[in-house]
Structures are given as C-alpha cells and as structure tokens.
Amino acid sequence: MYNLRLPFSYILRLPSTQALQKVGALIEYPAIYPFLTGRENLALYAQDTPKMNKLINRLEMTPYIDRKAKGYSVGMKQKLGIAMALLDDPELVILDEPMNGLDIEATILVRKIINDYAKNGTAFLISSHVLSELQKIMTKVLILNQGQIILNTSMNKIMQLQARRYLMQTSDQEAASRVLLENNIEVKQSDNNYLILTKKDLKKAQHELASNHIWLTALIPDGASFEKIVVDILKKKRAEIK
C-alpha cells in the first residue's frame, strides 16, 4: 500500500503501478523540482509533448513556464501541480484543495478546465474545505466524519434542500396570515415580521391573497446554503453518536 503523502508524481511512473497509469493527482503540495523550469518538470512525466504544450496554453502558463520553478508564486506552483495531474488525459484525477493560492481569474479558469475534462469522461475526486467552490463543479457529494461516510448523494438532491421555503411580505401581514391559515396553508412569522411558507404552498397562497385584495410587497427565497446543509448533517450525525 502506497503512502499518498509521498509526491504522487513519483508513484505514478513506477513500473509496478500499472493500475495507476491512468490516474493523476495533486495531493497536498505539487511535487516540483525547484531548479528545473516548469516545462522541464512537466516533461519528466509527459508521454505526449503536443498535449503537454496544449495544457500549458490552456492553463495560461506560457509567460513563466520556461523560468525556474524556484521563483514561482504559490499560485504558479499550484497551476503547475494541476497540469501535472492532468497530463496525458487521465481517467481519474484526485485533487486536494485545487484552488489553493489561485486568484479569482485562475480559479474560474481551473474550474472551467475541470468541467471540460469531466465532460470528456475524466472522473474527479476533489477534497476541499471551500464548499462554495466545490458546489460549482461537483455532481456528487460525499461527506466523511471520523472516517465514516455519512452522506453519499447527488448534487441535484442537495439542491432540492435549498430554497424550500419563502419569506413573504404583504400589504397587510396580519390579514394575510389569517387568510392563509383559514385556507389550510401553513404559515409562520419570522422575527423580522416576514411570513414564512413552504415552496409547495406558494402558488395557492398567492391566489388566496389576491382574491382577498392583499398584495405582495416582497417574496424572498429562504433556502439553506450548501455550507449550512453540510453543517446540519454533521451536527445531526454527531448528536446520534452521543
């Protein structure tokens, strides 16, 4: 069993690791030789030079790729590490905090490249604490707690947990609450005087209010953020353990 904390690039090219030949990875920190240029670092592992050069262009590394890697910024090194992981069109790519050290433009670029590779059949396993970034590229969610899988589901199902209720403000909040309750529409009142109702009741609520000449002045989706959903799941699981 290999220790994944070793520079993964070395592991991939050992003769006895046939199963890993189609796997690319960036684990913790890029395995870079500082006294080689970025291009030389990539050339150590690349089997297809034209594809390597294309990847350099896609990651917008051309301005510095022929400089010694020891002078690279954190973001430059991170891009080089991502390029190493994507060399030769791997079938599986493992990325640990891939957006670390990247500025906004580089983050958007890497996100697009990941999506493009995924559309062409590459599977990605991405570990990150930046959930807002993960949400933009992932299709499945796996949550681990103390080594146990506590959630393994599609992103579509997670999205269904969002925007499941609405905050409503009307021309007459007291009358609106009364009308909705009389028509068997569950409604609550928030601390800031909004009426809270579920998504499934929204259409019926709008009809009943209009019929009673009560007009909407504000309607705000009030779904849990992805971060909150994850935190709530973790809290629930830890409470079960206790």
mmCIF file of all heavy atoms in Angstrom, residues 187-223:
data_model
loop_
_atom_site.group_PDB
_atom_site.id
_atom_site.type_symbol
_atom_site.label_atom_id
_atom_site.label_comp_id
_atom_site.label_asym_id
_atom_site.label_seq_id
_atom_site.Cartn_x
_atom_site.Cartn_y
_atom_site.Cartn_z
ATOM 1 N N VAL A 187 -48.374 28.589 7.759
ATOM 2 C CA VAL A 187 -47.605 29.835 7.712
ATOM 3 C C VAL A 187 -47.083 30.156 9.101
ATOM 4 O O VAL A 187 -47.746 29.907 10.108
ATOM 5 C CB VAL A 187 -48.467 31.000 7.156
ATOM 6 C CG1 VAL A 187 -49.647 31.286 8.081
ATOM 7 C CG2 VAL A 187 -47.633 32.253 6.943
ATOM 8 N N LYS A 188 -45.871 30.680 9.145
ATOM 9 C CA LYS A 188 -45.269 31.122 10.401
ATOM 10 C C LYS A 188 -44.784 32.545 10.237
ATOM 11 O O LYS A 188 -44.705 33.062 9.123
ATOM 12 C CB LYS A 188 -44.099 30.205 10.798
ATOM 13 C CG LYS A 188 -44.493 28.762 11.035
ATOM 14 C CD LYS A 188 -43.277 27.911 11.359
ATOM 15 C CE LYS A 188 -43.663 26.451 11.554
ATOM 16 N NZ LYS A 188 -42.478 25.603 11.828
ATOM 17 N N GLN A 189 -44.445 33.157 11.352
ATOM 18 C CA GLN A 189 -43.952 34.529 11.284
ATOM 19 C C GLN A 189 -42.508 34.569 11.789
ATOM 20 O O GLN A 189 -42.189 34.011 12.836
ATOM 21 C CB GLN A 189 -44.830 35.467 12.122
ATOM 22 C CG GLN A 189 -44.510 36.942 11.893
ATOM 23 C CD GLN A 189 -45.640 37.849 12.353
ATOM 24 O OE1 GLN A 189 -46.722 37.389 12.645
ATOM 25 N NE2 GLN A 189 -45.374 39.143 12.402
ATOM 26 N N SER A 190 -41.640 35.209 11.014
ATOM 27 C CA SER A 190 -40.238 35.312 11.395
ATOM 28 C C SER A 190 -40.044 36.455 12.383
ATOM 29 O O SER A 190 -40.959 37.275 12.600
ATOM 30 C CB SER A 190 -39.368 35.544 10.161
ATOM 31 O OG SER A 190 -39.618 36.829 9.615
ATOM 32 N N ASP A 191 -38.834 36.527 12.947
ATOM 33 C CA ASP A 191 -38.538 37.585 13.917
ATOM 34 C C ASP A 191 -38.609 38.977 13.299
ATOM 35 O O ASP A 191 -38.896 39.957 13.992
ATOM 36 C CB ASP A 191 -37.138 37.365 14.524
ATOM 37 C CG ASP A 191 -37.074 36.087 15.348
ATOM 38 O OD1 ASP A 191 -38.147 35.637 15.814
ATOM 39 O OD2 ASP A 191 -35.975 35.540 15.504
ATOM 40 N N ASN A 192 -38.326 39.076 12.001
ATOM 41 C CA ASN A 192 -38.347 40.394 11.346
ATOM 42 C C ASN A 192 -39.649 40.638 10.576
ATOM 43 O O ASN A 192 -39.701 41.386 9.609
ATOM 44 C CB ASN A 192 -37.146 40.556 10.406
ATOM 45 C CG ASN A 192 -37.014 39.401 9.435
ATOM 46 O OD1 ASN A 192 -37.808 38.465 9.471
ATOM 47 N ND2 ASN A 192 -36.019 39.455 8.572
ATOM 48 N N ASN A 193 -40.724 39.971 11.036
ATOM 49 C CA ASN A 193 -42.083 40.228 10.553
ATOM 50 C C ASN A 193 -42.354 39.741 9.135
ATOM 51 O O ASN A 193 -43.285 40.202 8.482
ATOM 52 C CB ASN A 193 -42.433 41.728 10.646
ATOM 53 C CG ASN A 193 -43.939 41.962 10.640
ATOM 54 O OD1 ASN A 193 -44.706 41.149 11.182
ATOM 55 N ND2 ASN A 193 -44.379 43.030 9.997
ATOM 56 N N TYR A 194 -41.559 38.802 8.639
ATOM 57 C CA TYR A 194 -41.881 38.153 7.373
ATOM 58 C C TYR A 194 -42.785 36.954 7.645
ATOM 59 O O TYR A 194 -42.699 36.316 8.704
ATOM 60 C CB TYR A 194 -40.612 37.660 6.667
ATOM 61 C CG TYR A 194 -39.864 38.733 5.916
ATOM 62 C CD1 TYR A 194 -38.803 39.409 6.507
ATOM 63 C CD2 TYR A 194 -40.217 39.051 4.604
ATOM 64 C CE1 TYR A 194 -38.101 40.390 5.805
ATOM 65 C CE2 TYR A 194 -39.518 40.026 3.897
ATOM 66 C CZ TYR A 194 -38.473 40.683 4.506
ATOM 67 O OH TYR A 194 -37.789 41.652 3.799
ATOM 68 N N LEU A 195 -43.635 36.626 6.711
ATOM 69 C CA LEU A 195 -44.394 35.383 6.773
ATOM 70 C C LEU A 195 -43.580 34.287 6.102
ATOM 71 O O LEU A 195 -43.007 34.494 5.029
ATOM 72 C CB LEU A 195 -45.747 35.541 6.066
ATOM 73 C CG LEU A 195 -46.704 36.583 6.655
ATOM 74 C CD1 LEU A 195 -47.979 36.651 5.829
ATOM 75 C CD2 LEU A 195 -47.030 36.276 8.114
ATOM 76 N N ILE A 196 -43.508 33.133 6.740
ATOM 77 C CA ILE A 196 -42.720 32.020 6.210
ATOM 78 C C ILE A 196 -43.675 30.937 5.730
ATOM 79 O O ILE A 196 -44.529 30.468 6.484
ATOM 80 C CB ILE A 196 -41.791 31.437 7.291
ATOM 81 C CG1 ILE A 196 -40.910 32.537 7.902
ATOM 82 C CG2 ILE A 196 -40.933 30.317 6.717
ATOM 83 C CD1 ILE A 196 -40.120 32.076 9.113
ATOM 84 N N LEU A 197 -43.541 30.528 4.475
ATOM 85 C CA LEU A 197 -44.340 29.422 3.958
ATOM 86 C C LEU A 197 -43.507 28.550 3.041
ATOM 87 O O LEU A 197 -42.493 28.989 2.509
ATOM 88 C CB LEU A 197 -45.590 29.933 3.240
ATOM 89 C CG LEU A 197 -45.435 30.696 1.935
ATOM 90 C CD1 LEU A 197 -46.747 30.643 1.159
ATOM 91 C CD2 LEU A 197 -45.101 32.152 2.204
ATOM 92 N N THR A 198 -43.947 27.312 2.864
ATOM 93 C CA THR A 198 -43.174 26.368 2.075
ATOM 94 C C THR A 198 -43.387 26.603 0.582
ATOM 95 O O THR A 198 -44.378 27.198 0.157
ATOM 96 C CB THR A 198 -43.581 24.918 2.407
ATOM 97 O OG1 THR A 198 -44.956 24.738 2.092
ATOM 98 C CG2 THR A 198 -43.349 24.623 3.878
ATOM 99 N N LYS A 199 -42.438 26.075 -0.194
ATOM 100 C CA LYS A 199 -42.481 26.243 -1.653
ATOM 101 C C LYS A 199 -43.739 25.625 -2.253
ATOM 102 O O LYS A 199 -44.344 26.194 -3.167
ATOM 103 C CB LYS A 199 -41.233 25.609 -2.259
ATOM 104 C CG LYS A 199 -41.087 25.805 -3.757
ATOM 105 C CD LYS A 199 -39.783 25.195 -4.251
ATOM 106 C CE LYS A 199 -39.601 25.411 -5.742
ATOM 107 N NZ LYS A 199 -38.310 24.836 -6.213
ATOM 108 N N LYS A 200 -44.171 24.475 -1.718
ATOM 109 C CA LYS A 200 -45.331 23.785 -2.285
ATOM 110 C C LYS A 200 -46.622 24.575 -2.101
ATOM 111 O O LYS A 200 -47.579 24.394 -2.864
ATOM 112 C CB LYS A 200 -45.480 22.395 -1.678
ATOM 113 C CG LYS A 200 -45.832 22.371 -0.199
ATOM 114 C CD LYS A 200 -45.947 20.942 0.309
ATOM 115 C CE LYS A 200 -46.265 20.911 1.793
ATOM 116 N NZ LYS A 200 -47.594 21.458 2.097
ATOM 117 N N ASP A 201 -46.672 25.469 -1.095
ATOM 118 C CA ASP A 201 -47.884 26.261 -0.837
ATOM 119 C C ASP A 201 -47.861 27.625 -1.515
ATOM 120 O O ASP A 201 -48.830 28.377 -1.415
ATOM 121 C CB ASP A 201 -48.063 26.462 0.670
ATOM 122 C CG ASP A 201 -48.433 25.178 1.387
ATOM 123 O OD1 ASP A 201 -49.104 24.324 0.762
ATOM 124 O OD2 ASP A 201 -48.051 25.016 2.557
ATOM 125 N N LEU A 202 -46.760 27.948 -2.186
ATOM 126 C CA LEU A 202 -46.580 29.315 -2.682
ATOM 127 C C LEU A 202 -47.666 29.734 -3.680
ATOM 128 O O LEU A 202 -48.255 30.809 -3.558
ATOM 129 C CB LEU A 202 -45.201 29.442 -3.323
ATOM 130 C CG LEU A 202 -44.824 30.829 -3.843
ATOM 131 C CD1 LEU A 202 -44.858 31.862 -2.733
ATOM 132 C CD2 LEU A 202 -43.441 30.794 -4.496
ATOM 133 N N LYS A 203 -47.934 28.896 -4.678
ATOM 134 C CA LYS A 203 -48.901 29.245 -5.716
ATOM 135 C C LYS A 203 -50.297 29.442 -5.131
ATOM 136 O O LYS A 203 -51.002 30.420 -5.444
ATOM 137 C CB LYS A 203 -48.935 28.156 -6.791
ATOM 138 C CG LYS A 203 -49.753 28.521 -8.013
ATOM 139 C CD LYS A 203 -49.595 27.468 -9.109
ATOM 140 C CE LYS A 203 -50.404 27.869 -10.340
ATOM 141 N NZ LYS A 203 -50.245 26.856 -11.428
ATOM 142 N N LYS A 204 -50.721 28.520 -4.273
ATOM 143 C CA LYS A 204 -52.035 28.620 -3.638
ATOM 144 C C LYS A 204 -52.122 29.860 -2.755
ATOM 145 O O LYS A 204 -53.144 30.569 -2.749
ATOM 146 C CB LYS A 204 -52.319 27.366 -2.800
ATOM 147 C CG LYS A 204 -53.700 27.355 -2.158
ATOM 148 C CD LYS A 204 -53.912 26.096 -1.348
ATOM 149 C CE LYS A 204 -55.288 26.130 -0.662
ATOM 150 N NZ LYS A 204 -55.503 24.926 0.183
ATOM 151 N N ALA A 205 -51.042 30.161 -2.023
ATOM 152 C CA ALA A 205 -51.026 31.336 -1.148
ATOM 153 C C ALA A 205 -51.189 32.621 -1.951
ATOM 154 O O ALA A 205 -51.959 33.517 -1.573
ATOM 155 C CB ALA A 205 -49.719 31.366 -0.362
ATOM 156 N N GLN A 206 -50.501 32.725 -3.081
ATOM 157 C CA GLN A 206 -50.610 33.919 -3.924
ATOM 158 C C GLN A 206 -52.034 34.098 -4.444
ATOM 159 O O GLN A 206 -52.562 35.211 -4.494
ATOM 160 C CB GLN A 206 -49.623 33.823 -5.096
ATOM 161 C CG GLN A 206 -48.173 33.973 -4.668
ATOM 162 C CD GLN A 206 -47.207 33.744 -5.818
ATOM 163 O OE1 GLN A 206 -47.233 32.702 -6.462
ATOM 164 N NE2 GLN A 206 -46.368 34.717 -6.080
ATOM 165 N N HIS A 207 -52.674 32.980 -4.804
ATOM 166 C CA HIS A 207 -54.047 33.043 -5.303
ATOM 167 C C HIS A 207 -55.006 33.526 -4.219
ATOM 168 O O HIS A 207 -55.850 34.412 -4.461
ATOM 169 C CB HIS A 207 -54.475 31.659 -5.807
ATOM 170 C CG HIS A 207 -55.923 31.583 -6.187
ATOM 171 N ND1 HIS A 207 -56.419 32.139 -7.348
ATOM 172 C CD2 HIS A 207 -56.998 31.025 -5.531
ATOM 173 C CE1 HIS A 207 -57.720 31.932 -7.419
ATOM 174 N NE2 HIS A 207 -58.091 31.258 -6.327
ATOM 175 N N GLU A 208 -54.901 32.958 -3.024
ATOM 176 C CA GLU A 208 -55.813 33.323 -1.929
ATOM 177 C C GLU A 208 -55.614 34.777 -1.500
ATOM 178 O O GLU A 208 -56.581 35.497 -1.227
ATOM 179 C CB GLU A 208 -55.605 32.394 -0.736
ATOM 180 C CG GLU A 208 -55.968 30.942 -0.992
ATOM 181 C CD GLU A 208 -57.428 30.740 -1.350
ATOM 182 O OE1 GLU A 208 -58.250 31.624 -1.054
ATOM 183 O OE2 GLU A 208 -57.737 29.695 -1.951
ATOM 184 N N LEU A 209 -54.368 35.230 -1.456
ATOM 185 C CA LEU A 209 -54.114 36.622 -1.067
ATOM 186 C C LEU A 209 -54.678 37.588 -2.103
ATOM 187 O O LEU A 209 -55.304 38.599 -1.755
ATOM 188 C CB LEU A 209 -52.607 36.841 -0.891
ATOM 189 C CG LEU A 209 -51.956 36.117 0.295
ATOM 190 C CD1 LEU A 209 -50.458 36.335 0.277
ATOM 191 C CD2 LEU A 209 -52.553 36.579 1.618
ATOM 192 N N ALA A 210 -54.480 37.294 -3.376
ATOM 193 C CA ALA A 210 -55.013 38.168 -4.431
ATOM 194 C C ALA A 210 -56.533 38.211 -4.389
ATOM 195 O O ALA A 210 -57.144 39.268 -4.607
ATOM 196 C CB ALA A 210 -54.526 37.673 -5.788
ATOM 197 N N SER A 211 -57.150 37.051 -4.100
ATOM 198 C CA SER A 211 -58.616 37.003 -4.017
ATOM 199 C C SER A 211 -59.149 37.872 -2.887
ATOM 200 O O SER A 211 -60.297 38.331 -2.927
ATOM 201 C CB SER A 211 -59.087 35.550 -3.816
ATOM 202 O OG SER A 211 -58.696 34.745 -4.899
ATOM 203 N N ASN A 212 -58.325 38.103 -1.881
ATOM 204 C CA ASN A 212 -58.722 38.929 -0.742
ATOM 205 C C ASN A 212 -58.109 40.327 -0.800
ATOM 206 O O ASN A 212 -58.063 41.027 0.224
ATOM 207 C CB ASN A 212 -58.331 38.233 0.567
ATOM 208 C CG ASN A 212 -59.226 37.054 0.890
ATOM 209 O OD1 ASN A 212 -60.268 37.219 1.535
ATOM 210 N ND2 ASN A 212 -58.826 35.855 0.448
ATOM 211 N N HIS A 213 -57.615 40.701 -1.977
ATOM 212 C CA HIS A 213 -57.058 42.050 -2.210
ATOM 213 C C HIS A 213 -55.902 42.383 -1.264
ATOM 214 O O HIS A 213 -55.776 43.503 -0.765
ATOM 215 C CB HIS A 213 -58.165 43.115 -2.096
ATOM 216 C CG HIS A 213 -59.344 42.837 -2.974
ATOM 217 N ND1 HIS A 213 -59.293 42.949 -4.339
ATOM 218 C CD2 HIS A 213 -60.603 42.410 -2.662
ATOM 219 C CE1 HIS A 213 -60.458 42.624 -4.858
ATOM 220 N NE2 HIS A 213 -61.297 42.287 -3.864
ATOM 221 N N ILE A 214 -55.079 41.356 -1.017
ATOM 222 C CA ILE A 214 -53.858 41.543 -0.240
ATOM 223 C C ILE A 214 -52.696 41.347 -1.215
ATOM 224 O O ILE A 214 -52.606 40.332 -1.899
ATOM 225 C CB ILE A 214 -53.757 40.526 0.918
ATOM 226 C CG1 ILE A 214 -54.964 40.672 1.847
ATOM 227 C CG2 ILE A 214 -52.454 40.706 1.680
ATOM 228 C CD1 ILE A 214 -55.066 39.577 2.903
ATOM 229 N N TRP A 215 -51.823 42.337 -1.293
ATOM 230 C CA TRP A 215 -50.802 42.348 -2.339
ATOM 231 C C TRP A 215 -49.399 42.056 -1.784
ATOM 232 O O TRP A 215 -49.055 42.493 -0.679
ATOM 233 C CB TRP A 215 -50.801 43.694 -3.071
ATOM 234 C CG TRP A 215 -52.187 44.154 -3.403
ATOM 235 C CD1 TRP A 215 -52.820 45.268 -2.942
ATOM 236 C CD2 TRP A 215 -53.136 43.484 -4.249
ATOM 237 N NE1 TRP A 215 -54.090 45.353 -3.439
ATOM 238 C CE2 TRP A 215 -54.312 44.260 -4.248
ATOM 239 C CE3 TRP A 215 -53.114 42.300 -5.000
ATOM 240 C CZ2 TRP A 215 -55.453 43.905 -4.970
ATOM 241 C CZ3 TRP A 215 -54.242 41.938 -5.720
ATOM 242 C CH2 TRP A 215 -55.387 42.733 -5.704
ATOM 243 N N LEU A 216 -48.649 41.308 -2.566
ATOM 244 C CA LEU A 216 -47.262 41.022 -2.189
ATOM 245 C C LEU A 216 -46.391 42.256 -2.363
ATOM 246 O O LEU A 216 -46.463 42.928 -3.387
ATOM 247 C CB LEU A 216 -46.696 39.898 -3.069
ATOM 248 C CG LEU A 216 -47.253 38.485 -2.893
ATOM 249 C CD1 LEU A 216 -46.532 37.544 -3.835
ATOM 250 C CD2 LEU A 216 -47.091 38.019 -1.468
ATOM 251 N N THR A 217 -45.559 42.539 -1.371
ATOM 252 C CA THR A 217 -44.570 43.617 -1.487
ATOM 253 C C THR A 217 -43.140 43.066 -1.506
ATOM 254 O O THR A 217 -42.212 43.761 -1.922
ATOM 255 C CB THR A 217 -44.717 44.614 -0.317
ATOM 256 O OG1 THR A 217 -44.566 43.917 0.920
ATOM 257 C CG2 THR A 217 -46.091 45.290 -0.354
ATOM 258 N N ALA A 218 -42.977 41.807 -1.084
ATOM 259 C CA ALA A 218 -41.661 41.162 -1.128
ATOM 260 C C ALA A 218 -41.829 39.656 -1.056
ATOM 261 O O ALA A 218 -42.689 39.148 -0.335
ATOM 262 C CB ALA A 218 -40.779 41.641 0.023
ATOM 263 N N LEU A 219 -40.998 38.942 -1.847
ATOM 264 C CA LEU A 219 -41.000 37.478 -1.827
ATOM 265 C C LEU A 219 -39.551 37.027 -1.992
ATOM 266 O O LEU A 219 -38.946 37.239 -3.037
ATOM 267 C CB LEU A 219 -41.865 36.923 -2.955
ATOM 268 C CG LEU A 219 -42.044 35.401 -2.980
ATOM 269 C CD1 LEU A 219 -42.774 34.922 -1.725
ATOM 270 C CD2 LEU A 219 -42.801 34.962 -4.230
ATOM 271 N N ILE A 220 -39.003 36.416 -0.937
ATOM 272 C CA ILE A 220 -37.571 36.111 -0.904
ATOM 273 C C ILE A 220 -37.352 34.615 -0.671
ATOM 274 O O ILE A 220 -37.837 34.065 0.321
ATOM 275 C CB ILE A 220 -36.880 36.901 0.232
ATOM 276 C CG1 ILE A 220 -37.178 38.400 0.093
ATOM 277 C CG2 ILE A 220 -35.380 36.634 0.241
ATOM 278 C CD1 ILE A 220 -36.774 39.206 1.299
ATOM 279 N N PRO A 221 -36.643 33.929 -1.587
ATOM 280 C CA PRO A 221 -36.293 32.519 -1.338
ATOM 281 C C PRO A 221 -35.437 32.420 -0.082
ATOM 282 O O PRO A 221 -34.518 33.207 0.126
ATOM 283 C CB PRO A 221 -35.484 32.123 -2.584
ATOM 284 C CG PRO A 221 -35.835 33.137 -3.622
ATOM 285 C CD PRO A 221 -36.117 34.407 -2.882
ATOM 286 N N ASP A 222 -35.734 31.468 0.769
ATOM 287 C CA ASP A 222 -35.015 31.328 2.035
ATOM 288 C C ASP A 222 -34.508 29.899 2.182
ATOM 289 O O ASP A 222 -34.870 29.186 3.101
ATOM 290 C CB ASP A 222 -35.938 31.690 3.210
ATOM 291 C CG ASP A 222 -35.198 31.689 4.538
ATOM 292 O OD1 ASP A 222 -34.060 32.188 4.573
ATOM 293 O OD2 ASP A 222 -35.745 31.172 5.525
ATOM 294 N N GLY A 223 -33.674 29.483 1.227
ATOM 295 C CA GLY A 223 -33.129 28.134 1.282
ATOM 296 C C GLY A 223 -31.831 28.093 2.065
ATOM 297 O O GLY A 223 -31.106 29.082 2.153
#
